Amino acid sequence: MRIRLIRARTKLNDALHALAEDPDNNTLKHRVRRAEAAVAEHAALYDSTPVGQNELREAIAHENNDTARNLLNQRMAPQKRCAHNRYTRCTMVSRTQLQRTITMSNEPMLTQEQRESFWRLHGWRPNLPDSKRREIEQYWTDPEIVEAEALGF
């Protein structure tokens, strides 16, 4: 998800640079608006991930500016409201994805190959020190992996 957010921000920066060179071009203005919407969407999705939530908590803890801290708390607020139901954390999930997630929770757990494939996306390697490897394995349990994949992370 972080990679998608980075790509969306890169596209926005490219669109802004192109618009700066030709400020009267309506196509470029439209491109900037689409890119801004994509960044907002990906940022909201990233904020709803466990990693995004941890980063928000850390940023809030280290932020000295009250205005900036309030903005970070606002980004965290939608996640707190939906904490009672993990399937509503992200409002951009389609009904089909939600049904697939719920159905999958009744299926057998993941194979070790599926787990390792997902964990590798988050820094897991067989040769990592035991403590770091276990940390990733315990953080990303089977239900968390299934949910993350259903949400497109």
Side-chain angles (χ1 to χ4, degrees), residues 82-115:
C82 295
H84 67 281
N85 185 345
R86 71 182 187 156
Y87 295 113
T88 59
R89 278 195 301 192
C90 174
T91 58
M92 296 176 198
V93 176
S94 71
R95 182 177 294 276
T96 305
Q97 288 174 320
L98 180 58
Q99 289 171 343
R100 180 173 160 238
T101 302
I102 293 169
T103 302
M104 289 178 70
S105 66
N106 296 328
E107 293 177 2
M109 290 298 170
L110 301 173
T111 65
Q112 188 64 22
E113 289 177 7
Q114 290 171 315
R115 286 186 202 101

Side-chain angles (χ1 to χ4, degrees), residues 2-81:
R2 184 181 305 193
I3 292 171
R4 291 180 188 178
L5 179 58
I6 291 169
R7 287 182 188 150
R9 286 183 178 155
T10 302
K11 287 182 181 182
L12 175 59
N13 287 336
D14 292 345
L16 289 170
H17 287 296
L19 184 61
E21 293 174 9
D22 187 6
D24 296 327
N25 189 325
N26 286 330
T27 302
L28 292 177
K29 289 177 184 177
H30 182 67
R31 184 175 158 205
V32 167
R33 283 193 301 271
R34 281 193 331 245
E36 287 171 340
V39 167
E41 179 181 344
H42 288 297
L45 287 171
Y46 182 73
D47 287 348
S48 71
T49 65
V51 175
Q53 290 287 291
N54 287 338
E55 287 181 6
L56 282 172
R57 283 187 203 97
E58 287 178 21
I60 290 168
H62 293 98
E63 185 58 55
N64 295 327
N65 183 330
D66 288 338
T67 305
R69 190 178 310 115
N70 287 338
L71 291 172
L72 291 168
N73 278 320
Q74 287 174 3
R75 286 174 52 194
M76 189 85 151
Q79 311 320 317
K80 289 180 182 177
R81 282 195 300 268

Side-chain angles (χ1 to χ4, degrees), residues 112-127:
Q112 188 64 22
E113 289 177 7
Q114 290 171 315
R115 286 186 202 101
E116 288 179 9
S117 174
F118 184 86
W119 291 338
R120 285 179 193 279
L121 298 173
H122 300 280
W124 183 92
R125 299 285 178 268
N127 59 351

